[in-house]
């Protein structure tokens, strides 16, 4: 079986930056090191960090001293940072600059008086952090009917749209096109990050020339899940796995060529293990 591997898969710029910051912090002298929530959406990396003494906590109340690292998706509101400082904690902000940009654009649209929609998943931590920073009600959805219902309440129909950084371009442009059909004014910020876009484009092309795709990454990772969706939409068998142990020979019966892609929070060592196992088959 031939095994193809995407070049753009694996740690993106923002995740690499956050993980490096955390490993560096584990060697520092600021006392116990914590992350507010898992640093990235990959359980194996979070476990490795834990082994280095970097503990993920779910609330500031669980920390009495030392350092707190704010994860790549950002925190739920600027008040969290103020509270951490007020508690005397050393704060390291590992929020990805692309997420910071999306927070800024969302705030701008709200201040300019648009009804604002973010194309994404409202339960995702990044969406929560953008909502928290924009300081107002923003509709987060991937369902255009919800947008239509919201707009029905506003006669001027001035709509501001941005996207979760890991959104697929196809979904984002579909929502923008539909909005143009019913709005008087639409202001759009394309806040999909370039790492996500490049990875999706390469994955799509690979799915078109393979018999099956393996997508490696955390099941709680939005961008990994989107990659798996992209592959399934191309109509080929797609396996979203977190670790090499999930690979079974029966998945690849009759497969001549398999493609491997990975989410932005998947470390190289896990991708290599998966590729190695597939090559042995
Ligand atoms: S996927 Fe993009 S937005 Fe998210 S952490 Fe990576 S570079 Fe930043």
């Amino acid at each position: 079986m031939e095994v193809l591997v995407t070049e753009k898969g694996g740690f993106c710029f923002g995740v690499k930056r956050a993980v490096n910051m955390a490993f560096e912090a584990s060697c520092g002298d600021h006392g116990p090191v914590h992350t507010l929530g898992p640093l990235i959406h990959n359980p194996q990396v979070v476990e490795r960090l834990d082994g280095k003494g970097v503990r993920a906590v779910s609330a500031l109340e669980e920390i009495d001293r030392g350092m707190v690292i704010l994860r790549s998706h950002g925190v739920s509101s600027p008040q969290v940072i103020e509270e951490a400082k007020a508690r005397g904690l050393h704060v390291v902000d590992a929020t990805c600059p692309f997420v910071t940009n999306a927070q800024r654009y969302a705030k701008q649209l709200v201040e300019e008086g648009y009804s604002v929609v973010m194309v994404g998943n409202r339960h995702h931590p990044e969406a929560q952090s953008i909502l928290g920073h924009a300081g107002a009600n923003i509709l987060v959805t991937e369902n255009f009917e919800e947008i239509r219902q919201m707009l029905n309440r506003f006669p001027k129909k001035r709509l501001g749209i941005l996207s979760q950084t890991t959104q697929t371009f196809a979904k984002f442009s579909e929502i923008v096109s539909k909005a143009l059909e019913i709005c008087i004014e639409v202001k759009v910020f394309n806040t999909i990050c370039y790492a996500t876009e490049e990875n999706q484009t390469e994955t799509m092309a690979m799915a078109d020339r393979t018999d099956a795709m393996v997508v490696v990454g955390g099941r709680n990772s939005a961008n990994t899940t989107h990659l798996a969706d992209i592959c399934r939409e191309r109509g080929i068998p797609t396996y979203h796995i977190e670790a090499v142990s999930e690979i079974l020979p029966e998945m690849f019966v009759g497969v001549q060529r398999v493609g491997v892609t990975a989410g932005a929070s998947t470390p190289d060592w896990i991708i290599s293990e998966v590729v190695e196992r597939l090559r042995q088959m």
Side-chain angles (χ1 to χ4, degrees):
M1 184 167 69
E2 187 183 357
V3 183
L4 305 182
V5 188
T6 56
E7 283 177 14
K8 305 288 182 192
F11 274 8
C12 62
F13 149 79
V15 165
K16 214 178 276 176
R17 179 173 169 270
V19 171
N20 286 345
M21 283 167 136
F23 277 115
E24 271 170 31
S26 71
C27 308
D29 55 2
H30 288 283
V33 183
H34 312 84
T35 63
L36 196 52
L39 184 71
I40 63 170
H41 276 158
N42 186 280
Q44 290 89 345
V45 174
V46 173
E47 208 178 296
R48 271 206 184 183
L49 283 167
D50 193 70
K52 288 271 182 189
V54 180
R55 197 162 63 90
V57 297
S58 50
L60 286 175
E61 289 72 33
E62 294 173 50
I63 312 175
D64 53 11
R65 66 191 179 88
M67 178 189 281
V68 61
I69 303 173
L70 311 179
R71 57 187 175 168
S72 51
H73 292 126
V75 287
S76 58
S77 75
Q79 288 75 37
V80 175
I81 302 173
E82 295 312 315
E83 195 191 326
K85 287 181 182 162
R87 284 171 169 267
L89 301 176
H90 183 78
V91 179
V92 172
D93 189 358
T95 307
C96 175
F98 287 103
V99 176
T100 309
N101 262 346
Q103 290 169 344
R104 193 161 47 84
Y105 287 135
K107 191 162 184 276
Q108 181 183 328
L109 288 169
V110 169
E111 285 170 356
E112 289 175 356
Y114 290 92
S115 303
V116 182
V117 169
M118 180 163 87
V119 184
N121 171 356
R122 77 192 72 180
H123 303 297
H124 192 279
E126 181 197 313
Q128 297 292 324
S129 88
I130 291 168
L131 290 178
H133 283 75
N137 274 341
I138 294 179
L139 176 63
V140 185
T141 184
E142 292 180 341
N143 178 350
F144 190 73
E145 281 318 301
E146 289 185 29
I147 301 173
R148 192 192 298 277
Q149 281 167 19
M150 177 186 83
L151 285 169
N152 283 343
R153 301 198 298 272
F154 300 100
K156 284 192 181 160
K157 293 191 171 39
R158 294 176 72 234
L159 184 66
I161 309 183
L162 69 156
S163 94
Q164 196 171 320
T165 57
T166 49
Q167 186 54 258
T168 61
F169 188 74
K171 173 55 78 178
F172 185 53
S173 58
E174 175 201 318
I175 298 275
V176 171
S177 308
K178 286 182 176 168
L180 286 168
E181 287 170 17
I182 60 168
C183 289
I184 293 166
E185 183 186 343
V186 181
K187 185 162 182 173
V188 181
F189 284 114
N190 179 357
T191 44
I192 298 174
C193 89
Y194 79 89
T196 300
E197 212 169 329
E198 285 179 351
N199 197 4
Q200 288 174 354
T201 306
E202 195 188 5
T203 295
M204 213 180 288
M206 187 169 282
D208 283 341
R209 56 199 177 95
T210 50
D211 308 313
M213 285 293 290
V214 175
V215 183
V216 193
R219 292 201 172 78
N220 56 352
S221 156
N223 78 84
T224 312
T225 306
H226 279 141
L227 290 175
D229 289 343
I230 283 172
C231 297
R232 288 192 192 102
E233 280 161 16
R234 318 306 278 183
I236 61 166
T238 300
Y239 303 103
H240 178 172
I241 62 167
E242 286 190 349
V244 67
S245 56
E246 293 172 58
I247 292 182
L248 303 171
E250 50 267 38
M251 292 171 172
F252 304 99
V253 174
V255 172
Q256 302 288 317
R257 188 188 266 174
V258 62
V260 179
T261 187
S265 47
T266 311
D268 286 350
W269 88 77
I270 295 181
I271 304 170
S272 301
E273 282 174 0
V274 169
V275 171
E276 193 49 39
R277 172 67 60 88
L278 289 170
R279 287 200 169 129
Q280 286 165 3
M281 282 175 148

